[in-house]
Amino acid sequence: MADHEERTFIAIKPDGVQRGLIGEVIKRFEQKGFKLVGMKMLQTLLPSLIAYMSSGPVVAMVWEGTGAVKTGRVMLGATNPADSAPGTIRGDFCIQVGKNVIHGSDSVESAEKEISLWFTPEELVTYKSCAFCWLYD
């Protein structure tokens, strides 16, 4: 896999969906230069977080690009919004850890596992963005 094909899993949690932040999150990842290769809205049933994660829809996404995992985590901000810098998603839109709007993979290995839990290979698209030559040498 080429460096620019690294993938990360990003999920907008129910509080982010309910607050209308889907477009803002997508905008930030697109403006950074990452390529969206998978996205769906769904209702989840995760045993350890049933009350919270099933309280509303979740938007699951797969973003691709150089350093997608590490840069994605920086863009999200610290898990605790109080520790998140202004300009990060959590720094700009969150107050409490329990309602921190978004999840992002913390390693390439975690991203691969999370992507396979949320998406089948057929749900992910492969294409070359017309902006590719403006982003990569």
Side-chain angles (χ1 to χ4, degrees):
M1 173 171 58
D3 181 50
H4 63 270
E5 294 174 341
E6 180 179 301
R7 289 180 170 175
T8 192
F9 175 76
I10 301 292
I12 304 171
K13 297 176 183 179
D15 52 311
V17 173
Q18 293 291 341
R19 292 180 53 206
L21 298 174
I22 298 168
E24 181 66 33
V25 170
I26 291 170
K27 174 184 169 185
R28 288 178 183 220
F29 276 83
E30 284 182 331
Q31 285 181 333
K32 184 68 176 178
F34 291 119
K35 180 173 66 171
L36 183 62
V37 296
M39 183 171 82
K40 59 184 167 182
M41 178 182 265
L42 61 157
Q43 199 78 31
T44 65
L45 292 173
L46 302 174
S48 63
L49 299 172
I50 287 178
Y52 171 53
M53 290 300 282
S54 65
S55 66
V58 171
V59 174
M61 297 176 283
V62 179
W63 290 91
E64 184 178 278
T66 300
V69 172
K70 183 178 180 181
T71 303
R73 293 288 295 184
V74 171
M75 291 170 63
L76 268 56
T79 301
N80 183 346
D83 298 331
S84 295
T88 65
I89 293 167
R90 291 179 179 141
D92 289 350
F93 301 111
C94 304
I95 297 172
Q96 294 183 319
V97 174
K99 298 277 193 277
N100 68 2
V101 173
I102 197 161
H103 165 79
S105 300
D106 61 4
S107 69
V108 172
E109 296 75 24
S110 292
E112 291 170 356
K113 181 180 176 185
E114 291 173 326
I115 290 166
S116 70
L117 288 172
W118 292 79
F119 292 88
T120 65
E122 297 78 29
E123 292 176 308
L124 302 175
V125 297
T126 301
Y127 66 100
K128 187 171 182 177
S129 168
C130 61
F132 183 87
C133 65
W134 299 105
L135 294 166
Y136 298 102
D137 291 329

